[in-house]
Amino acid sequence: MVYRQKKLHLVLDLDHTLLHAVDIDILASKDREYLMKLGSSSSDGDLFKMAGELFLVKLRPYIRKFLKEASKMYEIYLCTTGIRSYAVMMAKLLDLK
């Protein structure tokens, strides 16, 4: 069936492959305050609230371009050891729309 579709399956790990997410509570207080002032307007990353916790998420350089090109050749699947709500939120962030 995969042969007829002419697309192979490509499984990519979210964490440390496509993006890096860190709970801002583990950052130094000065860094945390700086990020809170910036909010989501930072070009270095975006802040996301999930399950009452705030995360800083940084995408790999050119990841959207890579995913757009790879989607032409592969059926792309994402995997993570994180919880489902995290996976859904990060998939939306990476969405090619």
Side-chain angles (χ1 to χ4, degrees):
M1 182 160 179
V2 172
Y3 180 75
R4 279 184 270 146
Q5 293 174 345
K6 296 187 181 180
K7 277 191 173 184
L8 296 175
H9 297 272
L10 178 63
V11 180
L12 298 168
D13 183 27
L14 278 174
D15 308 299
H16 305 289
T17 303
L18 303 178
L19 55 87
H20 181 72
V22 64
D23 185 343
I24 68 165
D25 287 338
I26 68 168
L27 300 175
S29 61
K30 287 183 180 181
D31 294 334
R32 193 170 40 249
E33 289 171 17
Y34 175 74
L35 288 172
M36 294 303 286
K37 285 180 187 174
L38 286 180
S40 289
S41 63
S42 170
S43 62
D44 292 334
D46 289 310
L47 294 175
F48 290 93
K49 192 167 201 162
M50 183 179 62
E53 307 227 5
L54 201 55
F55 290 86
L56 173 67
V57 178
K58 294 179 81 172
L59 300 179
R60 290 278 184 201
Y62 306 105
I63 194 60
R64 287 193 176 105
K65 182 177 180 181
F66 166 77
L67 291 172
K68 184 176 182 179
E69 291 300 315
S71 69
K72 294 175 185 175
M73 299 176 282
Y74 301 98
E75 190 70 32
I76 299 175
Y77 295 89
L78 301 176
C79 67
T80 182
T81 58
I83 61 176
R84 182 171 177 79
S85 59
Y86 166 77
V88 169
M89 188 180 300
M90 295 305 111
K92 287 179 182 177
L93 176 65
L94 291 167
D95 197 2
L96 300 173
K97 292 180 185 177

